[in-house]
Amino acid sequence: MSAPTCTAPPGIPSRTNRRPNQQKQANVILFPHEEGNGSPVAVPVPTPAGAVRRWQYQYSQQLRLSDSLIVVASVLLAQYVRFGEIANTSGYSDAVMTLFSCLFAALWLSSLAVFQTRSTRIIGSGIDEYRRIGSATFWTFGIIAMGTLLAKIDLARGYLAIALPAGTLGLIVSRHLWRQHIARKRVHGGCQTRVLAIGDRESVSHLAHEMARAPMAGCVVVGVCIPGYGPPRGNVITIGGREVPVLGDETYVAAGLGSCGADTVAVAQTDHFGMHGLRELMWQLEKTDVDLVVSPGVMDMTQARLALRLTAGLPLLHVEKPQYEGTKRFQKQIFDFCFSLAALIATSPLLISSALAIKLTSRGPVFYPSERIGIDGKPFKMFKFRTMTNGADTQVENLLTLNESVGGMLFKMRDDPRITRVGKILRRFSIDELPQFLNVVKGDMSVVGPRPPLQREVDNYEVDVRRRLLVKPGVSGLWQVSGRSDLSWDESVRLDLSYVDNWSMSGDLVIVAKTVKAVLTSHGAY
């Protein structure tokens, strides 16, 4: 069926008769769209009353102030240490150095603006925000270094050696603290991005559910438009125990924005719109302060695997294949061996004292060797400190009725009577898992990976769950830093599959850092 032809809706200039000052780009994040046979949206969208997302602009201004203070402070510190009273050997006057510091600070702040480190698109998003700060700082110091070299001014090296680490660290720590501040507000319902979702019941419910699972991301669905629904009839759909109003079909987007106060329109299903319908929706929103986002229909993909490419004028989302072999795998093996060896050496006093405590307080061996399934389904013996009474495995059948694991595949009990007094302490701080680094040195496990499964779990795996066996199981992983024993079976599987599809060395380092925090807080450990 051919795509529908669309004309500009009333009150909106067509592409051919717009005046030059009307060629404003819409606030749009483009993802691939599909040809469809639905009718285009034909209702112009008025600008919502009041400034939307006012908190974002206020937050951006606060970042501007804190960035300025940090940059100025780091530059003045460098000037004082390098050319002030502490090391007054440069031969440059205070006025010259003060002028240089002012120019340096202005260049640094300009770079932060050029690299859009305070853009409302990325503030509070984490690694992308930090990456832009790093890029802006790198270029600033590169320009200063090249300028002083060409001008043959011998003053930059010591000066930059102080300002670079002080300023960069200050900016990153400041952004981290701001993110924590915003995250706390979002948990309590503040600083939210209000979303109007368009799609069928299943797709909008899935979108709303995924957004609700990550409250610190600050996105909440406040209304839905369902294609073919007709005019609003006062109905609601329940998503995660919360009622979301159905505001009509796609032709009622304008009225829906006014009634629910959304500042973002999310298209969760593109087949009804088609390319012309999406284009019409873009045109309608470009005069407003409302963003448009389109779900690409894939989930649990990291940004590193996604790339938007234009092919024959069409924006297509390219999804890179997961990397299990080659250079990346070799890098992971080297990291695993070196990190595990260092961990065993650093924790050797703790390992020895734990072994003595186990041996002196209960009968049985110090270590509990458990058969687990590794890469490609190969079994291996995983080492852990024994935290239960000797022969605890034989008592499992009597305790199955007390299993607290959601999903039933795993056995979890908060107050398991088989755990010894020393075992409770070891489990609370994950000390019982330290001997697993021996498995990493042997090559059976990785520092980071999916949770090591039992044979009875693997026997009940569905086909897609068996993807967990494509990589080595890990001492830590996404499951470890996302709730540990508090996770349901389905959630644990989802996290493991996400890791398998998206693993990278940088991601492993982030998980290692988060593991330290999870261990210190004992969250989900029992």
Side-chain angles (χ1 to χ4, degrees):
M1 181 178 293
S2 62
T5 57
C6 304
T7 58
I12 296 189
S14 68
R15 293 176 66 92
T16 57
N17 63 9
R18 290 186 186 180
R19 295 188 299 271
N21 61 357
Q22 291 176 311
Q23 300 292 337
K24 177 184 176 183
Q25 293 295 324
N27 294 325
V28 177
I29 302 175
L30 285 179
F31 288 104
H33 44 257
E34 303 171 3
E35 191 71 25
N37 56 4
S39 60
V41 181
V43 180
V45 179
T47 301
V52 298
R53 294 189 306 274
R54 186 177 290 111
W55 73 268
Q56 288 185 333
Y57 299 106
Q58 292 176 347
Y59 179 55
S60 181
Q61 294 303 314
Q62 291 169 338
L63 290 181
R64 187 188 305 276
L65 176 60
S66 64
D67 289 351
S68 301
L69 292 175
I70 291 170
V71 167
V72 171
S74 62
V75 169
L76 290 179
L77 175 64
Q79 178 181 342
Y80 177 74
V81 174
R82 179 65 178 84
F83 305 107
E85 297 177 2
I86 295 179
N88 192 13
T89 59
S90 64
Y92 294 95
S93 66
D94 290 342
V96 172
M97 290 315 306
T98 300
L99 177 60
F100 178 81
S101 295
C102 290
L103 294 174
F104 180 31
L107 178 62
W108 198 348
L109 292 172
S110 298
S111 296
L112 291 173
V114 169
F115 281 85
Q116 297 183 331
T117 62
R118 295 180 288 268
S119 169
T120 56
R121 304 286 184 220
I122 60 101
I123 53 176
S125 63
I127 193 167
D128 192 28
E129 186 176 6
Y130 300 148
R131 181 184 58 81
R132 294 193 187 192
I133 291 174
S135 298
T137 301
F138 173 81
W139 282 101
T140 299
F141 283 88
I143 292 172
I144 292 293
M146 290 295 296
T148 54
L149 180 63
L150 294 175
K152 297 182 179 180
I153 301 175
D154 187 20
L155 57 80
R157 285 178 296 178
Y159 183 90
L160 298 184
I162 297 170
L164 171 61
T168 305
L169 181 63
L171 288 171
I172 292 177
V173 170
S174 170
R175 292 301 179 94
H176 178 69
L177 294 176
W178 277 114
R179 285 186 63 209
Q180 289 184 326
H181 173 69
I182 292 298
R184 286 192 295 269
K185 284 194 170 185
R186 283 173 169 171
V187 170
H188 295 91
C191 299
Q192 298 285 342
T193 297
R194 300 171 61 85
V195 178
L196 172 60
I198 306 176
D200 60 25
R201 290 178 181 270
E202 181 180 358
S203 58
V204 297
S205 296
H206 176 73
L207 178 69
H209 176 72
E210 291 299 311
M211 289 181 173
R213 287 193 324 110
M216 288 190 294
C219 294
V220 57
V221 174
V222 294
V224 299
C225 289
I226 301 175
Y229 182 85
R233 300 190 288 270
N235 294 335
V236 298
I237 59 176
T238 302
I239 302 173
R242 187 174 61 90
E243 292 185 346
V244 179
V246 180
L247 305 174
D249 58 27
E250 72 278 13
T251 63
Y252 288 86
V253 173
L257 288 171
S259 62
C260 69
D263 51 60
T264 299
V265 173
V267 180
Q269 184 186 30
T270 60
D271 53 352
H272 183 83
F273 277 92
M275 65 175 66
H276 295 287
L278 277 175
R279 185 172 62 179
E280 289 294 329
L281 184 59
M282 291 164 52
W283 288 353
Q284 293 176 49
L285 296 178
E286 68 181 27
K287 285 189 174 183
T288 72
D289 200 14
V290 177
D291 290 345
L292 174 64
V293 295
V294 181
S295 172
V298 296
M299 61 178 297
D300 289 330
M301 294 288 178
T302 60
Q303 186 175 351
R305 290 187 59 197
L306 302 177
L308 187 65
R309 297 178 180 176
L310 287 177
T311 303
L314 297 175
L316 302 177
L317 190 66
H318 183 81
V319 182
E320 297 286 352
K321 294 181 175 62
Q323 298 295 322
Y324 305 120
E325 304 293 341
T327 305
K328 287 189 175 182
R329 187 165 188 170
F330 178 73
Q331 291 175 346
K332 186 176 179 67
Q333 290 174 342
I334 295 298
F335 170 77
D336 286 342
F337 181 83
C338 295
F339 185 93
S340 299
L341 193 60
L344 289 171
I345 294 173
T347 60
S348 56
L350 182 59
L351 292 171
I352 295 172
S353 58
S354 298
L356 289 174
I358 295 171
K359 195 65 178 178
L360 295 175
T361 57
S362 63
R363 295 181 179 179
V366 171
F367 294 104
Y368 171 69
S370 173
E371 184 178 87
R372 300 298 174 107
I373 305 302
I375 186 171
D376 297 329
K378 298 177 182 178
F380 68 95
K381 292 291 185 181
M382 185 183 75
F383 298 108
K384 294 181 68 175
F385 279 131
R386 181 175 57 84
T387 58
M388 293 185 176
T389 56
N390 196 26
D393 288 345
T394 61
Q395 305 174 34
V396 174
E397 295 295 331
N398 300 328
L399 299 173
L400 286 179
T401 56
L402 303 176
N403 187 10
E404 299 176 13
S405 173
V406 180
M409 184 71 72
L410 305 176
F411 180 82
K412 295 290 182 181
M413 246 183 108
R414 289 184 181 273
D415 297 314
D416 196 320
R418 301 172 297 166
I419 301 177
T420 63
R421 288 182 297 175
V422 172
K424 288 183 179 180
I425 299 174
L426 298 181
R427 286 193 170 204
R428 180 179 180 184
F429 297 102
S430 299
I431 300 173
D432 62 316
E433 299 177 0
L434 290 178
Q436 292 176 27
F437 286 118
L438 293 171
N439 291 111
V440 180
V441 173
K442 288 178 58 182
D444 295 328
M445 296 177 64
S446 290
V447 174
V448 180
R451 188 186 61 79
L454 297 166
Q455 181 65 59
R456 60 181 175 84
E457 298 173 29
V458 176
D459 292 340
N460 292 306
Y461 277 178
E462 297 178 1
V463 175
D464 55 344
V465 182
R466 297 191 69 87
R467 287 183 60 83
R468 299 170 78 182
L469 305 179
L470 291 175
V471 299
K472 293 179 182 179
V475 178
S476 183
L478 283 176
W479 52 274
Q480 179 86 321
V481 300
S482 303
R484 303 164 84 180
S485 295
D486 289 336
L487 294 174
S488 67
W489 166 254
D490 290 340
E491 185 67 11
S492 177
V493 168
R494 190 188 72 84
L495 290 173
D496 281 345
L497 293 181
S498 177
Y499 175 82
V500 171
D501 288 339
N502 300 292
W503 77 269
S504 64
M505 283 307 305
S506 59
D508 281 2
L509 294 176
V510 171
I511 292 174
V512 169
K514 289 184 176 181
T515 300
V516 175
K517 179 181 178 181
V519 169
L520 293 177
T521 58
S522 303
H523 179 64
Y526 53 87

